[in-house]
Each structure stands twice: as structure tokens, then as C-alpha cells.
């Protein structure tokens, strides 16, 4: 919102927030000088204090945000190993150009995309359904809401270790259950799609409740009279959901889609811990190696700091592209939803 | 009534928030504890020497710290242990490259020693010059591993892992194979392919649902460990792809996997542990420390059913070194401590309590080693078998990226054969992965 200048306070001038003072004339010269000094101090205070107040963020950002970003960019133009980080050989854009024919990078990018889709889509659909159910009047609703958030509060490590056991090929509970109903055991770690589904299930388990609570909060902000009038018009629960709830949730849905997309493109902990070999190669044939995992493998396992930096920057650029696409789509959607507003 | 409902609800919310908070805190609290810098002096005029270790190295458990503190009343010893070497080593490397956050003594695993020797020697003390340290105490190859080209020895060996073959006497018997260690060893003496042939014999009459050996990774590792040259030649060049010894080891392991003589597990994973507990395989390559591992994972009724036979060729699996960073606070005291901890007498004590096999050959005649027995192996003279194996281990050329190459051959290679890939396809996947990982 633009500032309304007729009602807003005028910008601070001389003396700032200090109470106005009568003109200093008539006072002894010493007192006048003292007042002038005080006034200057006030001016400096008013002028610079706000910067001091916001500086902690910027100092931290400089140290832990901007510097690493620039350093990574610098390192990505060199051949440099983690064993001797000061020993840099300039190679120009070679680390970037070789990404183009790096099969492992594109394999990881493809995996990130597929894992992203098979984890995000069911996750958001389920979250919506759960939120809708929780939105009814229920006994012990607080308990259910807290229970929804419990997986989110569990550490990824603990969750993944349990899932590794569940998805075990030879002694896992899921294969045991499948065997019970007459289905052959699935190699949840060795085969491409099963392993990606298994990794996605960890992500879904962890984040569904979180998204459900966001949807629930948005649903509770929908005015009750909309439902009442819909009910008067003879709309049943499903029709109410599709014609009242969903349209009202549009901004919230967009928000969760954006956040989940960013999360999905950075998936790392789940596939790392799901790997039976405790390596970062994402399975014997790299079948569930994500970009985050590949970056980690190059940097921290193989210790190629330069290559890892180039991958990091490439991922950063990809994320920016995804961000722009999201922005464009959301603007289109917003425009179209405004068109239909009564 | 109303008030009670409200307080109950409030209590529930408080409890929920508290548990969430605790979960978040627990998630954040991954303080590895490896950053504590060496502090010297605790106010009473004592010097505290700090050790950075990984896993269970057993010095404390064997009472060696207490003994040293008694001998040197001015010294206090504090250790700082990281559970897994995968977490310990990158931190150590970071601390060495930045020369900060180092303990007075730092342990190095044998898989990492070549990289440390090649890239970090300038930051570590030469330990061969400490009075009382004599090269001849150690197995020659062990001493060589921690020595740079210009003769600086930056680590003193603690334990080694001379490899033998552990086997289940009951399962061998059922399959119609001999069970006496000397006869068993004769089945495959001198040639790894004879071990695979024995496996075929076993598999013909094997107890239902069992395989001859535990895993492709275990067999490949055993064969490779007995070669003098595997991934690097003596000039430091990577030769793993052209070295026939590596390809032969790979093909032999793949052949054994194709013939279903090997379990389809990865070692040290929960599923592999379960194959030990459920008696799913009859033999495995094992250094002395593996007996402790087997004991930990076995059911009580497996006690005494194992035995140990000499491997086709001797190799080494595991073992560590202690090194002293130059930037430590108590360098001189730390050197004395390292020399004492790795002396033959202390290594023998460590073997008795912890099962870590001495790297000091001077310890091999001590009663702790010659009289050693193990719960799992009944009366087998394991001390004798393992010391014989230790003396025959070749001086192996180890390179800085051995671990990455071997992991590629195992996790991206032979394991694929158990999933139905051909040996040729598996080799292709493995070499492609390794080349990408080595490429700077």
C-alpha cells in the first residue's frame, strides 16, 4: 500500500523524535553549546541507530549468505580439492561446460524431477483431504492437529532409518506384507521406480501433516456464511468443497506448491539415508541420486570442491528459473481469479 | 467441570508444544563434539592430553589411560570419540587443512592414511624420531603405509586386520565338506578361484536357503587385499582399469555371484546383520575384529560353531594409526603418549581385551596373542592363525583414493551381478562411476 502523505507522520527532521525545544536564544553561551551538542548527538542517533538495529541480520547474511555464495562462484571457476582448498588452478568455465555432457548430473536432475512429482502431488492432495476432514467439528481436534505435525518434528535421520527397515528387500515389513497377499517381493532399493517411490514416501510422510495444517488454517478463515448460503442453495458437502473451499484456498495452494517445489528440488537427506551403502551415489545405478546428493558426493565424498561449486551454482540457476515460472503462473492465476470475482 | 476440560486441553497443548520443541531441539543438536580444542592444564598443574578417535579403539576400555596416568602423575588423558569414520575423517581433514580445532593426538584409519601421507604430512610430527620408537617393532608394511617418500613417519600403527576365512563347521559338515581348519585351508590354498570352486561344492549340498559366502563386497575386498598392487602403481598413477589383478578379482567375484554362491547383501547393513543372525551363509573373509562383530550379531546358539582357516592368500583389512598434529598444545607429551600406547606390550593388552590385532610383530610371541581363544570359534588357536597371516601380508601400494575406487567396484559393480546384470555391464557401470568420481 502506498503511504498516504496527508495522514502519515512527516519524515523525522532535526532532532527527530526528541521533544521540540524553544529557541535557544537568551541562554548563556555555554548552555547553548551544550544544547547544540546534544542536538547533534540526537541527529546522529536518529540517523544511524536504525542501521545499527538492522545490522545483525546483514552482518550474518554477509558472513553466512553472501560470502559463501561469492566464494562458491569463485571456486567453481577453479580446479580445487578439499584436501588443499587454498591451492586453486584457474580453469575458467570448464566446470560448467562439462556439466552439459555429465550423464550423472542429468540423471540426478531427472531423478530430482520425478521424485519431486511423485512426492509433491500426492502429498498436497492428501494434505487437502486431511485438512478438509479436520475442518469438521471433531472431538479432540487439537490432538489430531498435533498428531499431524508429529512427523514433521521427527528428525529425517530417524524417520529414514525406520523406512529403510520397512522397505528392506529380504527382511522388510512391506515385502512381508506383500508376500502375505501373494505379491512377489519388490527390490525397494535396487530398482528404479520402487526406490524412487520409497524415497518419496518418506517425504510424503514427513510433510503431508505440515501442509494439511496450512490448508486447515486457510480453511478456517473462510467465512461461514459462504457455506450457509451454499447449503441453502442445496449444495452438498462435495459441491461445497469444490465451489467454496477450493476457490477460496487458491492463494494458499499456490504458496504450498511453491514451497514444496523448492523443497523438492533440494531433496537430500532422505535419499542419502535411504542408500543401503551409506554412500552418496543414490543406489548401485544412481537410480535415486538427486541433485543435492550429487553435489554432496562431488564435494564431500570425492572432495572436488571446484566441481561441486559449479553444480551448486547450476542448481541455483535452475531454482531461479523454477521461481520465475512459479511467479508467472501464479500471476496468471491471480489475474484469472480476479476476472471471475463477482 | 468446564474449568477442568479447559485445563486438560491446555495441558495437552502445552505438552504438544513441549514435545515439538524438544523434537526440534533434538534435530538441531548434532554437536559432533569434535571441535573441542585441546586444553592444557586443569588448575592442579596437570597437563591434559586430548585424543581424537573414531569407533571403539579400546584404549580406555583396556585401562591403558589409567595405567599411563599412574605412570605419569602429571598427565591427564581425555578422549573425544566420533562413532563412524565416515563422519570423523572429513572433519579431521578440514581441521588439518585449516590447522585449527585439532586434538593433541588424532587417529587415522588405514583407508585414509595414504591421502593423509600425500597431502597433510607437513602438518604432522615425524614420529620415527621419538626415543624408544623402533621401526623394527612393527610389521614392515604397516610402518611403510604411514611413511612419506622422504622418510617422515607421520603415524604409528595401532592394530592391523590380517585376514583369514571364518566358516561354520556345522554347515560345512552338512554340505559334505571337511571341517578341520588345516584340511579346509588345503581346499583353497594359494588360489582364490579354488575358494570359489569350494563354494560350488558347498552349494550342491547346501542347507536350504544358505549361500557359501556372505556378500560380493566381502569376497572382492578379500581378493584385492592380498594383491601387492591394486588401484595405484608405485609411482602413484591410477591403474585400476588396466591392472589385470583388479579385473580378475572383479570377474571371479562376479562369477561367484552369478553362480549364486554369494548373498546379495551389502556388508555392515541391517539386512546383512540379519543374515549372520539367521545363519544364512557358511563362510566369510574375516580379520580378528570380525569375530567380535559376528559375536555381537549372532544368536546364542551359534557359539563355538565357527572356526578359522588360513585364507588362499594373506591380506589386510582394517587397522589404524595415531598421529600428532604440529599445531597441538602439548606436542611433546602427546608424542610420548603415542609411543607408549603403540608399544608392543600395550598392543598385546589391547588385543586381549578388545580383539584389535597388534601391528607390532614383537607382540606376536606374547602369551596374550599365542594363547588367544574366542567364544565363537571354540578351541581354534586364532592368535597363531592370525599372526601367521599378518607376517605374510604383502607390502601393498595404497593410493589416496583407494576407498572411492573400491567402493565403486563394490557398490556400483559386483553388487549389480546379484541383481541379474552381467559381469560386463557391472564393470561398465562401476568404471564409469569411478572415473567420474576421480575426475577433478
Amino acid at each position: 500500500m502506498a503511504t498516504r502523505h496527508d495522514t502519515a507522520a512527516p519524515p523525522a527532521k532535526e532532532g527527530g523524535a526528541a521533544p521540540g525545544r524553544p529557541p535557544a536564544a537568551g541562554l548563556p553561551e555555554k548552555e547553548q553549546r551544550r544544547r547544540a551538542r546534544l542536538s547533534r548527538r540526537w541527529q546522529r542517533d536518529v540517523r544511524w541507530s536504525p542501521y545499527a538495529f538492522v545490522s545483525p541480520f546483514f552482518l550474518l547474511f554477509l558472513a553466512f549468505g553472501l560470502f559463501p555464495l561469492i566464494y562458491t562462484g569463485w571456486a567453481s571457476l577453479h580446479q580445487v580439492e578439499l584436501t588443499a582448498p587454498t591451492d586453486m588452478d584457474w580453469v575458467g568455465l570448464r566446470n560448467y561446460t562439462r556439466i552439459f555432457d555429465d550423464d550423472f548430473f542429468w540423471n540426478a536432475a531427472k531423478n530430482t524431477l520425478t521424485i519431486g512429482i511423485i512426492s509433491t502431488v500426492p502429498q498436497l492432495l492428501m494434505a487437502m483431504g486431511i485438512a478438509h476432514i479436520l475442518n469438521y467439528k471433531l472431538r479432540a481436534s487439537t490432538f489430531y492437529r498435533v498428531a499431524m505435525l508429529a512427523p514433521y518434528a521427527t528428525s529425517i535421520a530417524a524417520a529414514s532409518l525406520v523406512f529403510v527397515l520397512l522397505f528392506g528387500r529380504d527382511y522388510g515389513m512391506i515385502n512381508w506384507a506383500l508376500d502375505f497377499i501373494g505379491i512377489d517381493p519388490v527390490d525397494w532399493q535396487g530398482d528404479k521406480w520402487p526406490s524412487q517411490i520409497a524415497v518419496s514416501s518418506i517425504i510424503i510422510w514427513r510433510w503431508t501433516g505440515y501442509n494439511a495444517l496450512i490448508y486447515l488454517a486457510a480453511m478456517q478463515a473462510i467465512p461461514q456464511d459462504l457455506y450457509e448460503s451454499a447449503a441453502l442453495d442445496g449444495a452438498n458437502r462435495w459441491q461445497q468443497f469444490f465451489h467454496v473451499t477450493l476457490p477460496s484456498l487458491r492463494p494458499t495452494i499456490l504458496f504450498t506448491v511453491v514451497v514444496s517445489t523448492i523443497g523438492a528440488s533440494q531433496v537430500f537427506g532422505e535419499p542419502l539415508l535411504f542408500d543401503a551403502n551409506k554412500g552418496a551415489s543414490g543406489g548401485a545405478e544412481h537410480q535415486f541420486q538427486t541433485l543435492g546428493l550429487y553435489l554432496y558426493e562431488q564435494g564431500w565424498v570425492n572432495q572436488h570442491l571446484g566441481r561441486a561449486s559449479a553444480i551448486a551454482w547450476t542448481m541455483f540457476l535452475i531454482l531461479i528459473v523454477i521461481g520465475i515460472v512459479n511467479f508467472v503462473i501464479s500471476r496468471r492465476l491471480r489475474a484469472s481469479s480476479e476476472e471471475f470475482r463477482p | 467441570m468446564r474449568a477442568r476440560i479447559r485445563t486438560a486441553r491446555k495441558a495437552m497443548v502445552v505438552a504438544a508444544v513441549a514435545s515439538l520443541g524438544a523434537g526440534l531441539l533434538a534435530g538441531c543438536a548434532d554437536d559432533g563434539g569434535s571441535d573441542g580444542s585441546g586444553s592444557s592444564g586443569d588448575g592442579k598443574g596437570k597437563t591434559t592430553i586430548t585424543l581424537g578417535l573414531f569407533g571403539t579403539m579400546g584404549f580406555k576400555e583396556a585401562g591403558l589411560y589409567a595405567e599411563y596416568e599412574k605412570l605419569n602423575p602429571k598427565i591427564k588423558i581425555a578422549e573425544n570419540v566420533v562413532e563412524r569414520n565416515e563422519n570423523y575423517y572429513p572433519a579431521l581433514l578440514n581441521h588439518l587443512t585449516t590447522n585449527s580445532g585439532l586434538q593433541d593426538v588424532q587417529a587415522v584409519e588405514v583407508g585414509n592414511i595414504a591421502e593423509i601421507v600425500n597431502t597433510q604430512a607437513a602438518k604432522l610430527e615425524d614420529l620415527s624420531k621419538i626415543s624408544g620408537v623402533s621401526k623394527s617393532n612393527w610389521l614392515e608394511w604397516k610402518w611403510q603405509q604411514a611413511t612419506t617418500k622422504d622418510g617422515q613417519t607421520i603415524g604409528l600403527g595401532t592394530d592391523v586386520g590380517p585376514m583369514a576365512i571364518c566358516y561354520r563347521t556345522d554347515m560345512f559338515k552338512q554340505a559334505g565338506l571337511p571341517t578341520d581348519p588345516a584340511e579346509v585351508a588345503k581346499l583353497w590354498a594359494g588360489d582364490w578361484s579354488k575358494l570359489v570352486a569350494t563354494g560350488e561344492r558347498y552349494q550342491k549340498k547346501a542347507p536350504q536357503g544358505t549361500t557359501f559366502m556372505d556378500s560380493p563386497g566381502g569376497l572382492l575386498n578379500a581378493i584385492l587385499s592380498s594383491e601387492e598392487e591394486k588401484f595405484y602403481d608405485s609411482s602413484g598413477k591410477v591403474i585400476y582399469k588396466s591392472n589385470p589383478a583388479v579385473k580378475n578379482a572383479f570377474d571371479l567375484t562376479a562369477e561367484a555371484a552369478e553362480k549364486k554362491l554369494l548373498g546379495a547383501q551389502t556388508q555392515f547393513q541391517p539386512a546383512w546383520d540379519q543374515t549372520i543372525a539367521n545363519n544364512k551363509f557358511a563362510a566369510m573373509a574375516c580379520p580378528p575384529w570380525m569375530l567380535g562383530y559376528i559375536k555381537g550379531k549372532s544368536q546364542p546358539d551359534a557359539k563355538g560353531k565357527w572356526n578359522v582357516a588360513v585364507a588362499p592368500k594373506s591380506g589386510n583389512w582394517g587397522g589404524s594409526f595415531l598421529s600428532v598434529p604440529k599445531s597441538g598444545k602439548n606436542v611433546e607429551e602427546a608424542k610420548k603418549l603415542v609411543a607408549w600406547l603403540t608399544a608392543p606390550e600395550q598392543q598385546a593388552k589391547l588385543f586381549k581385551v578388545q580383539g584389535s590385532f597388534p601391528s607390532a610383530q614383537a607382540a606376536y610371541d606374547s602369551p596374550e596373542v599365542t594363547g588367544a581363544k574366542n567364544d565363537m570359534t571354540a578351541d581354534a588357536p586364532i592368535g597363531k592363525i592370525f599372526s601367521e597371516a599378518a607376517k605374510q601380508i604383502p607390502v601393498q601400494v595404497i593410493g589416496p583414493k583407494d576407498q572411492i575406487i573400491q567402493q565403486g567396484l563394490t557398490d556400483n559393480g559386483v553388487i549389480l551381478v546379484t541383481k541379474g546384470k552381467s559381469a560386463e555391464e557391472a564393470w561398465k557401470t562401476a568404471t564409469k562411476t569411478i572415473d567420474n568420481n576421480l575426475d577433478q
Side-chain angles (χ1 to χ4, degrees):
Chain A
M1 199 166 92
T3 313
R4 287 187 56 193
H5 288 286
D6 52 343
T7 56
K13 287 221 177 73
E14 195 184 336
R21 286 183 311 280
L27 286 165
E29 199 186 334
K30 206 173 162 195
E31 180 64 12
Q32 272 190 25
R33 271 212 307 271
R34 200 182 68 86
R35 288 204 170 178
R37 210 170 50 233
L38 267 180
S39 153
R40 275 200 304 277
R41 195 185 289 168
W42 255 313
Q43 280 176 27
R44 271 201 302 275
D45 182 25
V46 161
R47 185 154 180 183
W48 298 110
S49 291
Y51 292 103
F53 294 146
V54 296
S55 66
F57 167 77
F58 285 97
L59 290 178
L60 286 176
F61 174 72
L62 275 180
F64 297 105
L66 196 63
F67 171 72
L69 196 70
I70 292 169
Y71 180 80
T72 309
W74 181 242
S76 73
L77 302 173
H78 293 81
Q79 190 194 82
V80 51
E81 295 289 287
L82 208 55
T83 46
T86 48
D87 202 357
M88 288 180 156
D89 281 336
W90 176 264
V91 291
L93 291 174
R94 181 163 163 264
N95 284 327
Y96 290 95
T97 50
R98 77 160 133 204
I99 282 179
F100 285 105
D101 44 31
D102 181 351
D103 294 346
F104 294 94
F105 179 88
W106 294 111
N107 170 59
K110 240 188 290 170
N111 290 342
T112 310
L113 183 71
T114 49
I115 290 178
I117 290 171
I118 54 182
S119 63
T120 308
V121 173
Q123 181 193 134
L124 294 182
L125 290 178
M126 278 161 60
M128 180 67 75
I130 291 169
H132 184 61
I133 294 169
L134 282 181
N135 201 22
Y136 288 126
K137 280 202 166 51
L138 285 177
R139 251 169 227 262
S141 59
T142 315
F143 167 77
Y144 290 119
R145 286 170 200 177
V146 170
M148 294 283 30
L149 212 54
Y152 175 62
T154 331
S155 84
I156 307 184
S160 299
L161 291 178
V162 173
F163 274 82
V164 167
L165 287 178
L166 290 178
F167 281 111
R169 179 192 52 195
D170 297 327
Y171 303 97
M173 205 165 88
I174 292 178
N175 271 351
W176 173 81
L178 287 180
D179 186 49
F180 208 65
I181 54 172
I183 297 173
D184 281 342
V186 178
D187 188 352
W188 290 106
Q189 270 170 355
D191 294 339
K192 183 170 179 183
W193 289 109
S195 66
Q196 294 202 357
I197 290 171
V199 169
S200 301
S201 72
I202 309 176
I203 303 170
I204 293 172
W205 178 81
R206 221 168 151 251
W207 290 93
T208 303
Y210 172 85
N211 284 311
L213 284 195
I214 292 179
Y215 288 149
L216 180 62
M219 281 178 188
Q220 297 199 324
I222 301 173
Q224 197 56 39
D225 26 337
L226 282 180
Y227 289 101
E228 276 167 24
S229 45
L232 280 179
D233 289 342
N236 63 23
R237 290 276 195 192
W238 272 112
Q239 285 165 327
Q240 286 177 23
F241 178 73
F242 279 111
H243 297 288
V244 179
T245 312
L246 272 189
S248 316
L249 285 187
R250 205 173 271 174
T252 314
I253 295 173
L254 265 175
F255 169 76
T256 54
V257 168
V258 172
V259 169
S260 304
T261 315
I262 293 173
S265 53
Q266 296 172 334
V267 163
F268 168 69
E270 289 88 350
L272 176 72
L273 293 160
F274 188 69
D275 192 345
N277 305 322
K278 295 286 174 287
S281 66
E285 294 176 286
H286 313 274
Q287 65 271 25
F288 55 93
Q289 185 173 44
T290 58
L291 279 176
L293 209 50
Y294 186 55
L295 162 67
Y296 173 80
E297 188 185 29
Q298 287 307 330
W300 298 101
V301 180
N302 303 331
Q303 298 168 346
H304 306 320
L305 197 56
R307 284 183 75 182
S309 302
I311 296 167
W313 263 85
T314 312
M315 276 175 73
F316 179 58
L317 296 178
I318 293 176
L319 273 179
I320 288 180
V321 171
I322 293 176
I324 292 173
V325 169
N326 263 320
F327 175 73
V328 168
I329 294 177
S330 64
R331 220 174 48 172
R332 285 261 171 87
L333 279 179
R334 206 177 301 143
S336 70
S337 73
E338 265 157 20
E339 254 169 54
F340 290 111
R341 195 156 282 170
Chain B
M1 189 65 199
R2 182 132 200 106
R4 225 170 66 209
I5 292 175
R6 210 182 298 147
T7 46
R9 185 174 293 168
K10 217 188 251 168
M12 201 157 74
V13 171
V14 168
V17 168
S19 68
L20 281 182
L24 288 176
L25 281 180
C28 299
D30 63 346
D31 168 27
S34 57
D35 289 353
S37 53
S39 65
S40 50
D42 63 348
K44 290 179 212 149
K46 283 194 181 183
T47 307
T48 304
I49 305 180
T50 54
L51 290 95
L53 310 176
F54 54 86
T56 313
M57 298 189 69
F59 301 124
K60 190 182 198 171
E61 291 78 355
L64 295 181
Y65 296 157
E67 200 180 332
Y68 192 77
E69 283 170 355
K70 211 183 247 170
L71 291 171
N72 303 274
K74 289 228 153 133
I75 300 290
K76 255 193 85 186
I77 301 175
E79 64 171 19
N80 199 334
V81 182
V82 176
E83 190 56 42
R84 298 178 71 100
N85 188 44
E86 294 97 298
N87 303 329
Y88 169 85
Y89 179 64
L92 170 65
L93 210 52
N94 275 341
H95 291 161
L96 278 171
T97 49
T98 56
N99 235 336
S100 70
L102 289 157
Q103 315 279 316
D104 294 326
V105 176
Q106 293 279 357
V108 182
E109 218 267 336
V110 62
N112 309 118
I113 192 71
E115 191 159 61
I116 294 288
V117 165
N118 282 335
T119 65
Q120 311 296 332
K123 307 224 164 113
L124 297 166
E125 288 284 324
D126 185 353
L127 303 178
S128 61
K129 301 214 172 80
I130 310 173
S131 70
V133 168
S134 139
K135 184 182 170 187
S136 60
N137 273 351
W138 274 268
L139 292 160
E140 199 211 330
W141 55 268
K142 182 77 176 176
W143 182 268
Q144 280 309 327
Q145 283 177 338
T147 304
T148 61
K149 284 205 180 78
D150 47 5
Q152 186 196 352
T153 302
I154 51 112
L156 293 182
T158 56
D159 57 325
V160 289
M163 209 164 350
I165 305 286
C166 296
Y167 62 96
R168 292 278 301 230
T169 47
D170 55 335
M171 291 159 83
F172 265 44
K173 198 170 179 187
Q174 278 183 60
L177 294 172
T179 55
D180 177 69
E183 280 178 58
V184 168
K186 247 186 254 161
L187 291 175
W188 52 61
D191 193 345
W192 287 103
S193 62
K194 284 193 199 161
L195 180 79
V196 174
T198 309
E200 285 182 74
R201 263 181 74 188
Y202 171 87
Q203 219 66 46
K204 270 180 204 143
K205 282 173 68 184
Q208 181 88 48
T210 68
T211 55
F212 177 58
M213 284 182 92
D214 63 305
S215 67
L219 179 57
L220 183 70
N221 179 43
I223 305 175
L224 288 173
S225 311
S226 64
E227 295 293 340
E228 265 172 53
E229 248 180 19
K230 45 178 188 177
F231 307 143
Y232 287 78
D233 68 11
S234 48
S235 73
K237 216 176 105 210
V238 181
I239 53 160
Y240 84 97
K241 257 194 296 191
S242 55
N243 184 358
V246 173
K247 188 72 170 51
N248 289 343
F250 189 93
D251 287 342
L252 187 61
T253 309
E255 183 197 327
E258 261 166 7
K259 289 177 175 159
K260 310 247 182 265
L261 311 180
L262 310 175
Q265 311 295 344
T266 302
Q267 289 191 312
F268 306 107
Q269 294 311 310
W272 183 72
D273 293 346
Q274 274 159 326
T275 60
I276 299 178
N278 297 333
N279 313 326
K280 290 291 184 192
F281 60 87
M284 70 190 295
C286 77
W289 51 262
M290 186 65 92
L291 287 171
Y293 193 88
I294 294 175
K295 189 175 163 186
K297 300 297 173 191
S298 290
Q299 308 285 352
D301 65 344
K303 236 176 214 173
K305 288 185 181 158
W306 289 86
N307 209 328
V308 186
V310 179
K313 286 179 187 169
S314 293
N316 180 63
W317 185 8
S320 304
F321 298 84
L322 292 181
S323 63
V324 178
K326 279 183 179 156
S327 64
K329 292 209 172 86
N330 308 297
V331 173
E332 289 311 312
E333 287 298 337
K335 279 158 101 175
K336 277 185 218 155
L337 173 65
V338 166
W340 185 84
L341 280 177
T342 56
E345 306 83 53
Q346 273 64 251
Q347 291 203 21
K349 285 177 211 158
L350 202 59
F351 174 65
K352 192 167 182 213
V353 181
Q354 215 53 40
S356 307
F357 205 78
S359 64
Q361 53 182 348
Y364 292 169
D365 297 323
S366 68
E368 282 96 338
V369 176
T370 51
K373 295 253 166 70
N374 184 289
D375 274 4
M376 304 310 291
T377 54
D379 294 327
I382 53 169
K384 210 177 123 253
I385 292 178
F386 286 123
S387 26
E388 278 310 306
K391 285 177 197 159
Q392 286 165 22
I393 295 169
V395 182
Q396 193 169 41
V397 180
I398 52 176
K401 300 289 181 190
D402 269 14
Q403 236 177 8
I404 283 177
I405 300 176
Q406 181 149 345
Q407 200 178 342
L409 290 176
T410 306
D411 298 344
N412 308 97
V414 280
I415 192 77
L416 288 172
V417 182
T418 63
K419 300 183 199 299
K421 291 262 153 68
S422 74
E424 219 30 58
E425 280 173 297
W427 174 257
K428 226 192 261 165
T429 310
T431 51
K432 196 177 161 196
T433 304
I434 295 166
D435 287 346
N436 183 48
N437 288 348
L438 292 181
D439 184 10
Q440 297 191 334

